[in-house]
Amino acid sequence: MPGRDWDSLLPLVEVTVTGQGRAWSGERFIDTAVGGRLTYRGHESVQDGEWQCTTIRLADPETGLAVDLTLRTCPGSGFLRSQVRLVNEGSTPLQLESVSTLTLGGIVDAMDAMDAMDGLTLHWADNDWLAECRWQHAAFRDHIVPLNRSAHGHEGRGCFERYSQGSWSTGRHLPIAALTDRAGRAWLWQIESSAGWRYETGEREGAAYLALFGPDDAHHQWRELLAPGQEFTTAPAVLVGTESGGLDAAFGELTAYRRRMRRSHPDHTALPVIYNDYMNTLMGDPTTDKLLPLVEAAGSAGAEVFVIDAGWYDDDAQGWWDAVGAWDASNSRFPGGIQQVLDAIREHGMTPGLWLEPEVVGVRSPLARTLPPEAFFRRGGVRVTEHGRHHLDLRHPAARAHLDQVVDRLVDDWGVGYLKLDYNINIGPGTENGAESAGAGLLGHHRAHLDWLGSLLDRHPRLVLENCASGGLRMDYAQLAVAQLQSTSDQQDPLRYPPIAAAAATAAAPEQAAVWAYPQPHFSLDEIAFTLTGALPGRIHLSGFLDRMSPEQFALVRSGISVYKALRSEIPDSLPFWPLGLPSWDDTWIAYGWRGQAATWLTLWRREPTADERGRGPRPRDQHGADDTTRTVTISHLRGAPLRPTLLYPATSDATATWNAADGQLTVTLPRRDTAVLLRLSAAPPAEGREG
């Protein structure tokens, strides 16, 4: 191609092999010796349903390593899914230390304006317990500074990188990030691994590049020894590219991709309302007497699933945390048997659900002594212990047989139709089984774990699985390709949940993103509406002491559930957008919208500027002057459309909204702080709402 700087392109696959290394030493995992030697052997393309698959075959003549790069897409889409398979066709064992799943060089290269990289913006998401999906952005040049390569004759040694640590795949960051430019182009990527991932971007030969990896030796203690004839396959990754529309357009493409690649399940379109007794309610202390009033109230409010969360198995005077593993119902908590509560749930028209933490066994559990040592994570020959728990290795038949027996009993004998699968420890780099590295052991376990989840759904096709790890600390699409829902947070402060709820659709498809709504009898009507409104765009995790509410409070809860049921059929085909940009943690105004077939919906929150834990006032960015009651948001895809905004929830709100079709701008007034509203933009207002 005339004008293109071919030197800025990368090998299709980068492979670090012990004894081979890289051509230029530093923090980057590109420019590997093996990657630079890979030669083309052929390719083939096949059609697999709606998927178009191309496999490019490469080989390293020196080591005999054969590499197959498989790229998948769907005609007319803007995504490319990549996965790499390596086979040792040589005569000598090869130890892998890192393998790229996807590399891309030449982003905004010499064909673009000379200052093209000066116009690039990096976007990444920090993640933590209670503070998930916190998107950050910075100029590319803030992290990748120009070094004047011509003066030195070499590339830089550094890059911008993010990676996971231990068994919480999203305990530090989401495996999702993006580059955007001033023209509205976007490059958005997602790595699908629960057992280690890393991405890097930087400058190479005058252009930006991108490289996506699963686990590696430097960050995850992962090494894979390939004897002659053995093979290894990387974690998948996907790259979305859009020519306009920025992040909103890119996340729309990523959402469509997520819906294509996951396991199909009726829950993805049914979207039942879920009540869970935990958050700000029973908090792991369920009993028959406490649950029965909640069951009745939840059924009356419109819930369709009732989940008994942690503690239902607790019959230990010393506490259940380090004694879990058998998953038998507590006799002291349920004197008439847990079936009494499960039957009551069904009698009120709801599906019973239970909480499990299947991958752990408490150190005081009898199973810690009866299961074989090889069924647990070990390092250096010692069984790993973390926060009073051991960790099962689901590659071992005894570990898997134990969990199969537990789940089949709960589903077949107890009639449970929903399992919340939690994961509350970070077990570190993994497990060593013989000579394998800890990271390879973690990867092997997680692949066995995903296989086990799939086998549960094979045996129980209507069983619904919720993926939870202390909220959203394992929020990746290795898990979400199998599980139906994702817990987005354990955040208990309703005023701190909006930035998580608004950004949840960046990490999970809206119909998979479960957001807590925990109205309480001591809440004002504004507070009840505030916590409910945040859950309406995705999946409702209802909680709270509904049985203690006044008729007026309960009616406000019921009306929110009714609004959700009226609009939920639109959610599985909708695409998310953020007219005020992705939210920051302390933003006072937050907006999240979704485009459906029939209309566009928009949730807006107005919060009190937040003070820190020591009572200090808000930062200057949170202060907007005396009148912060009104915001104008631009909704580009509706520009020119003659629409009327309709207030759907809460009906008690005194919010107003006006639409400027020529500019595509919606102006919303929320007179009181710490309030939120759900609006619908359509040609005619629906019967259940009122005009703004």
Side-chain angles (χ1 to χ4, degrees), residues 51 72-74 77-81 238-241 253 257 260:
W51 294 85
R72 295 176 174 86
T73 191
C74 294
S77 68
F79 67 81
L80 188 68
R81 189 177 198 244
V238 64
L239 177 67
V240 167
E253 285 283 355
Y257 160 78
R260 281 186 165 110

Side-chain angles (χ1 to χ4, degrees), residues 123 178-188 240-254 575-582 595 634-637 639:
H123 307 264
L179 289 169
T180 58
D181 69 7
R182 293 174 181 143
R185 293 186 296 177
W187 298 263
L188 172 67
V240 167
T242 58
E243 289 297 316
S244 62
L247 282 181
D248 283 355
F251 274 115
E253 285 283 355
L254 184 60
L575 299 178
F577 67 97
W578 295 266
L580 291 176
L582 290 172
R595 304 168 57 177
T634 300
I635 306 177
S636 301
H637 71 273
R639 185 176 283 117

Side-chain angles (χ1 to χ4, degrees), residues 16 20-33 97 147 154-159 198 200 209:
T16 306
Q20 300 288 325
R22 290 163 287 177
W24 179 241
S25 188
E27 302 303 312
R28 307 175 179 205
F29 284 18
I30 61 169
D31 292 317
T32 59
E97 296 182 7
L147 299 175
H154 290 288
E155 297 287 350
R157 299 185 188 273
C159 59
R198 176 183 174 272
E200 67 175 78
Y209 77 89

Side-chain angles (χ1 to χ4, degrees), residues 133 219 419:
C133 302
H219 300 88
L419 291 176

Side-chain angles (χ1 to χ4, degrees), residues 525 528 549-559 652:
L525 295 182
I528 289 173
M549 288 186 167
S550 70
E552 185 180 21
Q553 291 174 317
F554 193 75
L556 187 57
V557 174
R558 286 194 62 176
S559 67
T652 56

Side-chain angles (χ1 to χ4, degrees), residues 499-687:
I500 303 171
T506 64
E511 64 276 13
Q512 291 183 272
V515 173
W516 288 101
Y518 29 63
Q520 301 293 352
H522 64 272
F523 279 13
S524 69
L525 295 182
D526 275 352
E527 290 171 323
I528 289 173
F530 190 91
T531 186
L532 276 163
T533 302
L536 299 181
R539 298 301 297 274
I540 297 178
H541 262 26
L542 186 64
S543 197
F545 290 104
L546 306 183
D547 56 312
R548 305 177 188 177
M549 288 186 167
S550 70
E552 185 180 21
Q553 291 174 317
F554 193 75
L556 187 57
V557 174
R558 286 194 62 176
S559 67
I561 301 303
S562 296
V563 167
Y564 179 77
K565 289 180 177 180
L567 65 82
R568 64 181 168 186
S569 63
E570 292 285 332
I571 294 175
D573 295 317
S574 67
L575 299 178
F577 67 97
W578 295 266
L580 291 176
L582 290 172
S584 295
W585 187 247
D586 296 315
D587 283 351
T588 55
W589 278 81
I590 295 172
Y592 166 65
W594 65 106
R595 304 168 57 177
Q597 298 294 320
T600 292
W601 288 266
L602 187 67
T603 300
L604 293 107
W605 296 261
R606 181 191 171 208
R607 301 188 294 171
E608 181 84 23
T610 56
D612 68 17
E613 298 292 339
R614 289 171 289 181
R616 295 184 299 196
R619 295 179 294 180
R621 67 183 297 279
D622 301 316
Q623 300 170 355
H624 300 282
D627 184 11
D628 190 31
T629 63
T630 300
R631 276 291 181 276
T632 297
V633 300
T634 300
I635 306 177
S636 301
H637 71 273
L638 295 179
R639 185 176 283 117
L643 305 175
R644 283 179 286 178
T646 303
L647 177 64
L648 291 184
Y649 187 78
T652 56
S653 175
D654 54 2
T656 61
T658 57
W659 173 246
N660 182 325
D663 296 329
Q665 291 185 331
L666 179 72
T667 299
V668 178
T669 298
L670 294 178
R672 298 184 305 281
R673 288 172 173 168
D674 299 335
T675 57
V677 292
L678 171 64
L679 299 169
R680 171 175 167 147
L681 299 176
S682 59

Side-chain angles (χ1 to χ4, degrees), residues 195-361:
W197 58 265
R198 176 183 174 272
Y199 63 77
E200 67 175 78
T201 184
E203 181 176 0
R204 183 180 184 277
E205 297 289 349
Y209 77 89
L210 169 67
L212 311 180
F213 300 85
D216 65 66
D217 185 24
H219 300 88
H220 310 100
Q221 298 183 32
W222 176 88
R223 295 175 303 281
E224 187 77 25
L225 185 65
L226 292 187
Q230 289 185 328
E231 65 180 64
F232 172 75
T233 301
T234 67
V238 64
L239 177 67
V240 167
T242 58
E243 289 297 316
S244 62
L247 282 181
D248 283 355
F251 274 115
E253 285 283 355
L254 184 60
T255 300
Y257 160 78
R258 288 166 170 171
R259 289 168 175 158
R260 281 186 165 110
M261 57 80 70
R262 69 192 178 193
R263 179 186 179 119
S264 62
H265 194 283
D267 183 77
H268 292 147
T269 53
L271 277 56
V273 175
I274 300 155
Y275 182 94
N276 182 302
D277 68 32
Y278 186 83
M279 190 61 69
N280 292 349
T281 310
L282 299 187
M283 299 295 290
D285 187 27
T287 67
T288 298
D289 289 343
K290 292 177 180 179
L291 283 167
L292 290 180
L294 291 175
V295 169
E296 181 177 1
S300 297
E304 294 152 307
V305 176
F306 190 102
V307 179
I308 304 173
D309 207 279
W312 59 268
Y313 39 79
D314 178 20
D315 239 349
D316 194 301
Q318 299 180 56
W320 58 264
W321 180 264
D322 59 357
V324 296
W327 308 112
D328 292 318
S330 165
N331 293 322
S332 61
R333 291 180 175 276
F334 306 100
I338 197 172
Q339 281 293 349
Q340 180 184 357
V341 180
L342 300 178
D343 289 344
I345 292 170
R346 282 185 285 267
E347 289 166 5
H348 285 86
M350 296 178 288
T351 298
L354 288 176
W355 179 96
L356 282 180
E357 196 170 357
E359 292 165 82
V360 302
V361 170

